[in-house]
PDB file of all heavy atoms in Angstrom:
ATOM      1  N   ALA X  28      -2.852 -25.490  23.480  1.00 98.00           N
ATOM      2  CA  ALA X  28      -1.807 -25.852  24.329  1.00 98.00           C
ATOM      3  C   ALA X  28      -2.326 -27.068  25.286  1.00 98.00           C
ATOM      4  O   ALA X  28      -1.388 -27.668  25.958  1.00 98.00           O
ATOM      5  CB  ALA X  28      -1.368 -24.761  25.115  1.00 98.00           C
ATOM      6  N   ASN X  29      -3.631 -27.242  25.548  1.00 98.00           N
ATOM      7  CA  ASN X  29      -4.098 -28.271  26.291  1.00 98.00           C
ATOM      8  C   ASN X  29      -5.490 -28.653  25.940  1.00 98.00           C
ATOM      9  O   ASN X  29      -6.452 -28.001  26.190  1.00 98.00           O
ATOM     10  CB  ASN X  29      -4.120 -27.769  27.780  1.00 98.00           C
ATOM     11  CG  ASN X  29      -4.816 -28.691  28.646  1.00 98.00           C
ATOM     12  OD1 ASN X  29      -5.089 -29.937  28.311  1.00 98.00           O
ATOM     13  ND2 ASN X  29      -5.194 -28.184  29.843  1.00 98.00           N
ATOM     14  N   TRP X  30      -5.608 -29.671  25.059  1.00 97.00           N
ATOM     15  CA  TRP X  30      -6.954 -29.935  24.446  1.00 97.00           C
ATOM     16  C   TRP X  30      -7.936 -30.338  25.373  1.00 97.00           C
ATOM     17  O   TRP X  30      -9.075 -30.421  25.004  1.00 97.00           O
ATOM     18  CB  TRP X  30      -6.780 -30.872  23.188  1.00 97.00           C
ATOM     19  CG  TRP X  30      -6.068 -32.288  23.566  1.00 97.00           C
ATOM     20  CD1 TRP X  30      -6.536 -33.260  24.339  1.00 97.00           C
ATOM     21  CD2 TRP X  30      -4.969 -32.664  22.943  1.00 97.00           C
ATOM     22  NE1 TRP X  30      -5.692 -34.184  24.334  1.00 97.00           N
ATOM     23  CE2 TRP X  30      -4.731 -33.899  23.482  1.00 97.00           C
ATOM     24  CE3 TRP X  30      -3.842 -32.190  22.092  1.00 97.00           C
ATOM     25  CZ2 TRP X  30      -3.454 -34.770  23.157  1.00 97.00           C
ATOM     26  CZ3 TRP X  30      -2.764 -32.956  21.728  1.00 97.00           C
ATOM     27  CH2 TRP X  30      -2.579 -34.187  22.218  1.00 97.00           C
ATOM     28  N   ARG X 332      -0.989 -29.152  12.543  1.00 98.00           N
ATOM     29  CA  ARG X 332       0.327 -29.775  12.860  1.00 98.00           C
ATOM     30  C   ARG X 332       0.487 -30.964  11.781  1.00 98.00           C
ATOM     31  O   ARG X 332       1.733 -31.161  11.564  1.00 98.00           O
ATOM     32  CB  ARG X 332       0.208 -30.292  14.205  1.00 98.00           C
ATOM     33  CG  ARG X 332       1.605 -30.957  14.707  1.00 98.00           C
ATOM     34  CD  ARG X 332       1.653 -31.221  16.178  1.00 98.00           C
ATOM     35  NE  ARG X 332       0.903 -32.378  16.583  1.00 98.00           N
ATOM     36  CZ  ARG X 332       0.852 -32.786  17.811  1.00 98.00           C
ATOM     37  NH1 ARG X 332       1.650 -32.173  18.790  1.00 98.00           N
ATOM     38  NH2 ARG X 332       0.113 -33.866  18.143  1.00 98.00           N
ATOM     39  N   ALA X 356       6.512 -32.372  19.289  1.00 98.00           N
ATOM     40  CA  ALA X 356       7.043 -32.253  20.538  1.00 98.00           C
ATOM     41  C   ALA X 356       5.885 -32.542  21.553  1.00 98.00           C
ATOM     42  O   ALA X 356       4.781 -31.771  21.561  1.00 98.00           O
ATOM     43  CB  ALA X 356       7.479 -30.654  20.799  1.00 98.00           C
ATOM     44  N   ASN X 357       6.048 -33.706  22.312  1.00 97.00           N
ATOM     45  CA  ASN X 357       4.917 -34.092  23.160  1.00 97.00           C
ATOM     46  C   ASN X 357       5.366 -34.604  24.528  1.00 97.00           C
ATOM     47  O   ASN X 357       4.694 -35.370  25.188  1.00 97.00           O
ATOM     48  CB  ASN X 357       4.062 -34.981  22.526  1.00 97.00           C
ATOM     49  CG  ASN X 357       4.837 -36.189  21.952  1.00 97.00           C
ATOM     50  OD1 ASN X 357       6.090 -36.360  22.278  1.00 97.00           O
ATOM     51  ND2 ASN X 357       4.287 -37.090  21.046  1.00 97.00           N
ATOM     52  N   GLN X 358       6.649 -34.133  25.044  1.00 96.00           N
ATOM     53  CA  GLN X 358       7.074 -34.620  26.282  1.00 96.00           C
ATOM     54  C   GLN X 358       6.619 -33.729  27.371  1.00 96.00           C
ATOM     55  O   GLN X 358       6.350 -32.543  27.185  1.00 96.00           O
ATOM     56  CB  GLN X 358       8.661 -34.534  26.177  1.00 96.00           C
ATOM     57  CG  GLN X 358       9.347 -35.386  25.168  1.00 96.00           C
ATOM     58  CD  GLN X 358       8.909 -36.782  25.287  1.00 96.00           C
ATOM     59  OE1 GLN X 358       9.064 -37.429  26.253  1.00 96.00           O
ATOM     60  NE2 GLN X 358       8.335 -37.433  24.103  1.00 96.00           N
ATOM     61  N   GLY X 359       6.309 -34.310  28.588  1.00 97.00           N
ATOM     62  CA  GLY X 359       5.941 -33.570  29.749  1.00 97.00           C
ATOM     63  C   GLY X 359       4.810 -32.755  29.627  1.00 97.00           C
ATOM     64  O   GLY X 359       3.739 -33.108  29.263  1.00 97.00           O
ATOM     65  N   ASP X 360       4.988 -31.293  29.794  1.00 96.00           N
ATOM     66  CA  ASP X 360       3.966 -30.365  29.689  1.00 96.00           C
ATOM     67  C   ASP X 360       3.348 -30.260  28.359  1.00 96.00           C
ATOM     68  O   ASP X 360       2.208 -29.662  28.248  1.00 96.00           O
ATOM     69  CB  ASP X 360       4.475 -29.042  30.163  1.00 96.00           C
ATOM     70  CG  ASP X 360       4.834 -28.871  31.641  1.00 96.00           C
ATOM     71  OD1 ASP X 360       4.458 -29.795  32.419  1.00 96.00           O
ATOM     72  OD2 ASP X 360       5.425 -27.868  32.031  1.00 96.00           O
ATOM     73  N   LEU X 361       3.973 -30.747  27.378  1.00 98.00           N
ATOM     74  CA  LEU X 361       3.654 -30.558  26.025  1.00 98.00           C
ATOM     75  C   LEU X 361       2.688 -31.614  25.528  1.00 98.00           C
ATOM     76  O   LEU X 361       2.146 -31.612  24.356  1.00 98.00           O
ATOM     77  CB  LEU X 361       4.812 -30.464  25.112  1.00 98.00           C
ATOM     78  CG  LEU X 361       5.902 -29.428  25.448  1.00 98.00           C
ATOM     79  CD1 LEU X 361       6.999 -29.446  24.388  1.00 98.00           C
ATOM     80  CD2 LEU X 361       5.280 -28.081  25.674  1.00 98.00           C
ATOM     81  N   ALA X 362       2.395 -32.553  26.481  1.00 98.00           N
ATOM     82  CA  ALA X 362       1.690 -33.805  25.994  1.00 98.00           C
ATOM     83  C   ALA X 362       0.400 -33.649  25.385  1.00 98.00           C
ATOM     84  O   ALA X 362      -0.268 -34.438  24.576  1.00 98.00           O
ATOM     85  CB  ALA X 362       1.619 -34.847  27.155  1.00 98.00           C
ATOM     86  N   LYS X 363      -0.323 -32.630  25.888  1.00 98.00           N
ATOM     87  CA  LYS X 363      -1.791 -32.395  25.493  1.00 98.00           C
ATOM     88  C   LYS X 363      -1.968 -31.252  24.537  1.00 98.00           C
ATOM     89  O   LYS X 363      -2.968 -30.640  24.436  1.00 98.00           O
ATOM     90  CB  LYS X 363      -2.748 -32.352  26.693  1.00 98.00           C
ATOM     91  CG  LYS X 363      -2.865 -33.702  27.278  1.00 98.00           C
ATOM     92  CD  LYS X 363      -3.876 -33.617  28.469  1.00 98.00           C
ATOM     93  CE  LYS X 363      -4.045 -35.000  28.990  1.00 98.00           C
ATOM     94  NZ  LYS X 363      -4.993 -34.972  30.220  1.00 98.00           N
ATOM     95  N   GLY X 364      -0.834 -30.722  23.878  1.00 98.00           N
ATOM     96  CA  GLY X 364      -0.944 -29.653  22.961  1.00 98.00           C
ATOM     97  C   GLY X 364      -0.401 -29.990  21.638  1.00 98.00           C
ATOM     98  O   GLY X 364       0.154 -30.941  21.430  1.00 98.00           O
ATOM     99  N   TRP X 365      -0.766 -29.025  20.673  1.00 98.00           N
ATOM    100  CA  TRP X 365      -0.365 -29.349  19.274  1.00 98.00           C
ATOM    101  C   TRP X 365       0.964 -28.772  18.999  1.00 98.00           C
ATOM    102  O   TRP X 365       1.138 -27.880  18.133  1.00 98.00           O
ATOM    103  CB  TRP X 365      -1.474 -28.723  18.321  1.00 98.00           C
ATOM    104  CG  TRP X 365      -2.910 -29.143  18.582  1.00 98.00           C
ATOM    105  CD1 TRP X 365      -3.789 -28.355  18.971  1.00 98.00           C
ATOM    106  CD2 TRP X 365      -3.476 -30.415  18.616  1.00 98.00           C
ATOM    107  NE1 TRP X 365      -4.971 -29.024  19.195  1.00 98.00           N
ATOM    108  CE2 TRP X 365      -4.783 -30.352  19.001  1.00 98.00           C
ATOM    109  CE3 TRP X 365      -2.902 -31.697  18.311  1.00 98.00           C
ATOM    110  CZ2 TRP X 365      -5.687 -31.352  19.000  1.00 98.00           C
ATOM    111  CZ3 TRP X 365      -3.717 -32.833  18.441  1.00 98.00           C
ATOM    112  CH2 TRP X 365      -5.139 -32.694  18.757  1.00 98.00           C
ATOM    113  N   PHE X 366       1.908 -29.242  19.806  1.00 98.00           N
ATOM    114  CA  PHE X 366       3.339 -28.585  19.598  1.00 98.00           C
ATOM    115  C   PHE X 366       4.042 -29.199  18.534  1.00 98.00           C
ATOM    116  O   PHE X 366       4.059 -30.349  18.243  1.00 98.00           O
ATOM    117  CB  PHE X 366       4.132 -28.632  20.950  1.00 98.00           C
ATOM    118  CG  PHE X 366       3.448 -27.780  21.937  1.00 98.00           C
ATOM    119  CD1 PHE X 366       2.505 -28.460  22.868  1.00 98.00           C
ATOM    120  CD2 PHE X 366       3.629 -26.435  22.177  1.00 98.00           C
ATOM    121  CE1 PHE X 366       1.829 -27.558  23.945  1.00 98.00           C
ATOM    122  CE2 PHE X 366       3.006 -25.686  23.078  1.00 98.00           C
ATOM    123  CZ  PHE X 366       2.147 -26.244  23.986  1.00 98.00           C
TER     124      PHE X 366
END
Side-chain angles (χ1 to χ4, degrees):
N29 172 14
W30 56 63
R332 184 167 73 173
N357 53 11
Q358 302 300 307
D360 288 351
L361 307 183
K363 288 184 172 178
W365 310 117
F366 293 97

